[in-house]
Amino acid sequence: MDELANGMSGKIIEVNDNDLTLCGTSDEVFIYTIKNELREDLIPGMLVETKFKNDFKIEQTFPQTINGEVEDIIVLNEGNDYINLYIDIIDSIYKEEYTTNPINMISLDLKEEFNLTENERVSLAYLLEKKYNVPIHLFDYRELLNNGYIENNSFKDGLLIEITSTLNKNDYFDFTISKWNEGLSTYYYRDCIALKEDNIWRYEIGYKMIS
């Protein structure tokens, strides 16, 4: 937990009308919301420190709610909004025509994705669950198989999305994303790139294929 003497530090993952959702920056997974009536210039990806006037209370919800009067929100770093970049990429491949099976569950295999922290992976799953209104897991194929989600090489009514990437270097990295539902057929975006220009991440698809 990224708790300070009179506040919290974290990375913004979502901005709503009067509150912010953030994830922690330490090894411990911690996602929380705070009230924001002070600043209108905050955007996802920013690393911030929130100072409270008095003691604050952590409500044990998910995300956890930080109750307390906010005195100041300090931007420590512009950061990188990998989460919403990946939401856009995942939504693009999700909408590609591929299967007629209903999708009532999504699993993300991020084991070979090298830019997201564990907090950001959980945050990505949380935001996608809100977006698609289906359970989101962080399992690879073998974990799905071992947990009984895959039978006879079919993910039943689920979708497995796998992302692999290189490490961000100079605001640039390569990635591949695929989706699979059943059988031997997998839908891919290959030879893709992500780059940040004017503090905004965008991506380009190399080519699409089914194998």
Side-chain angles (χ1 to χ4, degrees), residues 34 55 61 72 99 117 124-125 127 142 151 157 161 168 182:
I34 61 169
D55 292 340
T61 56
D72 196 9
T99 178
T117 65
L124 174 60
L127 292 177
R142 184 164 297 279
E151 295 179 358
D157 56 354
I161 295 177
N168 175 20
E182 63 180 352

Side-chain angles (χ1 to χ4, degrees), residues 85-210:
L85 168 68
Y86 276 132
I87 288 175
D88 289 344
I89 294 168
I90 289 168
D91 193 52
S92 177
I93 199 169
Y94 178 83
K95 291 176 179 176
E96 297 280 2
E97 186 175 346
Y98 170 69
T99 178
T100 58
N101 294 341
I103 302 300
N104 295 316
M105 179 189 304
I106 297 173
S107 189
L108 303 177
D109 179 358
L110 303 173
K111 288 182 171 55
E112 296 298 320
E113 196 293 321
F114 295 111
N115 295 298
L116 294 172
T117 65
E118 187 61 27
N119 266 290
E120 288 173 305
R121 293 180 182 195
V122 175
S123 298
L124 174 60
Y126 161 69
L127 292 177
L128 287 173
E129 194 162 294
K130 286 179 61 178
K131 182 178 181 66
Y132 296 126
N133 198 30
V134 298
I136 307 290
H137 296 288
L138 294 172
F139 294 153
D140 61 15
Y141 180 93
R142 184 164 297 279
E143 289 167 328
L144 289 170
L145 186 64
N146 292 341
N147 282 278
Y149 292 110
I150 292 177
E151 295 179 358
N152 300 317
N153 204 29
S154 172
F155 192 5
K156 304 173 186 176
D157 56 354
L159 191 68
L160 173 60
I161 295 177
E162 179 182 1
I163 300 175
T164 63
S165 81
T166 58
L167 192 63
N168 175 20
K169 185 176 181 180
N170 298 323
D171 294 334
Y172 174 98
F173 64 90
D174 302 307
F175 72 90
T176 293
I177 183 171
S178 65
K179 65 176 180 177
W180 173 85
N181 173 254
E182 63 180 352
L184 301 177
S185 178
T186 303
Y187 195 102
Y188 290 92
Y189 289 172
R190 287 194 178 276
D191 290 352
C192 307
I193 64 170
L195 64 159
K196 185 165 72 170
E197 296 176 327
D198 298 324
N199 208 37
I200 297 174
W201 280 97
R202 65 179 183 86
Y203 70 95
E204 297 177 3
I205 299 168
Y207 63 94
K208 305 175 183 181
M209 65 173 288
I210 298 177

